[in-house]
Amino acid sequence: MSRAFNFSAGPAALPESVLVQVRDELLEWKGERASVMEVSHRGQAFIDCAAEAERDLRELMGVPEDYAVLFLQGGASLQFSMVPMNLLSAQASADYIVTGAWSQKAVKEAKRVGGVKIAASTEGENFARIPRQEELKLDPNAAYVHYTTNNTIFGTEFHYIPDVGSVPLVADTSSDMFSGPMDVSKFGLIYAGAQKNLAPAGLTLVIVRDDLLKRTPSSLPTMLQYGVHVENKSMYNTPPTYAVYIAGLVFEWLLAQGGVKAIEKKNIAKAALLYDYLDTTEFYRAPARKIDRSRMNVRFHLHDESLDSEFLVGAKAAGMDQLKGHRAVGGMRASIYNAMPREGVEALVAFMEEFRRRHA
Ligand SMILES: *Cc1c(COP(=O)(O)O)cnc(C)c1O
């Protein structure tokens, strides 16, 4: 058996060359005569490894000097809480743009901490689209504006950065970070669970502008304070060393591909291949509004849902795995993150067309 094209939404496919290097270094890493998993995070080898990962990340995303990069744990879901706990007070309120299930979860946690105003929501349209800038009802006194750059479940993506004036912009970029360039200077804080487009599960990335660190109430538990992690270079406690190591290899891989600009080109082409095919047939339908379509998570439904399981079984037999849509929306979802080669998308389109012909 060989490896399938893996369309999982997360934990998702990693670049094969990275996995090969991980395998080759599994028992003895960097002359340590031990696995990277078995050495101290306080040792020079790992300190160097984490520092290099941060350097490469900064280079890839053009992170300005006045931003800290953190390697944390707890997933994007803990950031739903850490963001308001650090940046919002009980008397203040924050604006939330609601474009899917993850935005809703972020709102739920923020409400435990302080006020929340919904700047826009597309729930009434089953989250099939992204609100336009003109639709955003922004409070100039908001503590921050929070939004989800890519809606992993609903298959929509912001193709613009909301203009929020001088209010800090906070983004959950779990499923599209590193898929293309991003002007970090437009944000107050960016976070992402690593398991979609970067590394194995267990690592959470946070990029936060220095001035926001002053807002944290001193009563907050130590582990929840961004400032503590900044001061300790993400080593206040034991970081997820194995995941940081792999993230570092993925950064190297991204740089070798020509950086995020080059990767974006490939991602646009991969997504176009699939959407262009979907647009040629009524046999399949893609619910996301065209201009808001995600380049990372392509959601589609078979016109006849009774064929769903046959489609999935057939795809698996043809070497394509994990195409089942999220349980909240059903249908299919092809997650085509950075690590998905173009050949995987070509194989999927060929299979879909062959399946359609068989059932037309
Ligand atoms: C997967 C996902 C999350 C949740 O991430 P965890 O790391 O599992 O907490 C949050 N936001 C978005 C956009 C996601 O895709």
Side-chain angles (χ1 to χ4, degrees):
M1 293 268 280
S2 59
R3 285 167 57 78
F5 288 120
N6 175 6
F7 293 91
S8 171
L14 288 163
E16 191 161 297
S17 62
V18 166
L19 292 176
V20 167
Q21 185 173 349
V22 168
R23 179 188 62 194
D24 290 349
E25 295 178 340
L26 187 63
L27 296 184
E28 288 182 55
W29 174 67
K30 283 197 173 167
E32 287 292 298
R33 305 182 73 183
S35 168
V36 62
M37 284 184 272
E38 302 171 302
V39 300
S40 169
H41 57 293
R42 311 274 177 212
Q44 201 55 48
F46 185 77
I47 288 174
D48 291 347
C49 166
E52 199 172 313
E54 179 178 336
R55 259 200 314 279
D56 286 347
L57 183 162
R58 284 182 177 275
E59 182 182 338
L60 276 168
M61 300 305 292
V63 180
E65 280 294 307
D66 58 331
Y67 286 73
V69 172
L70 300 175
F71 296 133
L72 305 180
Q73 303 186 56
S77 298
L78 183 59
Q79 294 310 307
F80 297 163
S81 299
M82 270 178 82
V83 165
M85 287 172 122
N86 283 272
L87 305 183
L88 184 61
S89 64
Q91 303 78 36
S93 85
D95 285 342
Y96 275 72
I97 303 171
V98 179
T99 53
W102 296 116
S103 314
Q104 287 177 314
K105 285 195 168 163
V107 166
K108 184 177 162 202
E109 297 310 315
K111 281 182 172 168
R112 296 179 195 274
V113 178
V116 169
K117 290 182 186 161
I118 303 301
S121 170
T122 51
E123 186 178 10
E125 294 149 273
N126 298 317
F127 296 124
R129 70 176 187 92
I130 294 295
R132 296 180 306 276
Q133 172 75 43
E134 310 85 75
E135 291 175 78
L136 307 179
K137 290 197 191 65
L138 299 169
D139 172 3
N141 296 312
Y144 57 85
V145 180
H146 178 283
Y147 80 115
T148 314
T149 52
N150 181 69
N151 298 283
T152 326
I153 297 172
F154 291 92
T156 60
E157 186 172 13
F158 274 82
H159 296 299
Y160 73 97
I161 297 177
D163 180 356
V164 295
S166 59
V167 174
L169 185 58
V170 175
D172 173 359
T173 64
S174 294
S175 49
D176 66 350
M177 191 157 182
F178 306 111
S179 68
M182 187 176 180
D183 184 352
V184 175
S185 73
K186 292 215 155 66
F187 296 84
L189 189 148
I190 295 167
Y191 64 89
Q195 71 274 19
K196 309 265 162 67
N197 203 19
L198 178 62
L203 170 66
T204 313
L205 215 64
V206 174
I207 301 175
V208 56
R209 205 174 62 212
D210 292 344
D211 64 293
L212 294 174
L213 300 172
K214 294 191 207 86
R215 291 198 193 180
T216 303
S218 55
S219 58
L220 206 59
T222 309
M223 277 292 287
L224 299 179
Q225 297 190 24
Y226 289 124
V228 167
H229 296 293
V230 173
E231 275 163 34
N232 291 280
K233 298 192 184 315
S234 303
M235 298 212 196
Y236 174 77
N237 72 327
T238 315
T241 51
Y242 192 58
V244 170
Y245 151 74
I246 295 178
L249 297 183
V250 172
F251 292 145
E252 279 175 23
W253 175 80
L254 283 169
L255 288 166
Q257 304 286 302
V260 284
K261 228 186 161 101
I263 278 285
E264 181 182 51
K265 236 183 176 165
K266 291 183 191 173
N267 286 332
I268 289 173
K270 282 187 301 183
L273 197 62
L274 194 40
Y275 285 121
D276 286 351
Y277 172 68
L278 286 166
D279 288 342
T280 63
T281 162
E282 309 257 285
F283 189 82
Y284 303 100
R285 97 195 132 76
R289 183 168 70 166
K290 265 190 189 179
I291 58 165
D292 301 322
R293 284 170 167 175
S294 169
R295 290 171 188 159
M296 298 282 98
N297 309 99
V298 179
R299 199 184 138 201
F300 61 92
H301 291 252
L302 274 67
H303 199 68
D304 177 359
E305 280 184 12
S306 71
L307 294 173
D308 278 7
S309 47
E310 190 184 334
F311 180 89
L312 289 166
V313 169
K316 199 177 171 79
M320 282 158 279
D321 226 343
Q322 313 217 40
L323 282 159
K324 196 175 163 69
H326 190 276
R327 61 190 185 280
V329 293
M332 306 297 154
R333 171 174 53 181
S335 296
I336 50 173
Y337 301 118
N338 290 344
M340 171 61 65
R342 183 182 170 92
E343 295 72 44
V345 183
E346 286 169 349
L348 177 59
V349 169
F351 169 77
M352 287 171 73
E353 174 57 9
E354 187 259 333
F355 188 86
R356 183 195 68 81
R357 274 208 221 119
R358 236 187 309 134
H359 294 90

